[in-house]
Amino acid sequence: EIKTKIRNIIDLSYKNKALLTILWHQRSFNEKDFINYTEIYKTIIEECKERNAWFGTGKEIYDIVKV
């Protein structure tokens, strides 16, 4: 099931203190063409919030890790 796969990826990132990036295009919220994608997106956000994940933009990440 997709929700199990999502949780596994988030758990792996969390356990390894890894950066998990998600690129989600706005058109994915069109339920007519992308059935259940909105629910999948909500699951990702909820699972990350449960782990106190930090949410940031690409620029914010760059500013933190730039060398």
Side-chain angles (χ1 to χ4, degrees):
E1 176 181 324
I2 188 68
K3 288 186 178 187
T4 300
K5 290 180 180 182
I6 290 168
R7 287 183 189 102
N8 290 342
I9 292 169
I10 294 170
D11 283 340
L12 184 63
S13 296
Y14 181 78
K15 289 175 186 172
N16 290 291
K17 298 181 181 178
L19 173 65
L20 174 65
T21 61
I22 299 170
L23 179 60
W24 204 270
H25 296 280
Q26 290 177 343
R27 70 175 187 247
S28 300
F29 293 107
N30 176 353
E31 283 293 321
K32 180 181 173 191
D33 295 327
F34 299 94
I35 299 168
N36 293 328
Y37 275 46
T38 300
E39 191 62 34
I40 293 167
Y41 181 80
K42 287 178 183 179
T43 298
I44 293 168
I45 300 302
E46 289 167 1
E47 291 291 327
C48 289
K49 282 184 170 185
E50 284 181 19
R51 292 163 183 79
N52 296 316
W54 173 78
F55 292 82
T57 65
K59 169 115 172 54
E60 289 169 323
I61 295 167
Y62 171 80
D63 288 342
I64 292 169
V65 299
K66 66 182 172 186
V67 181

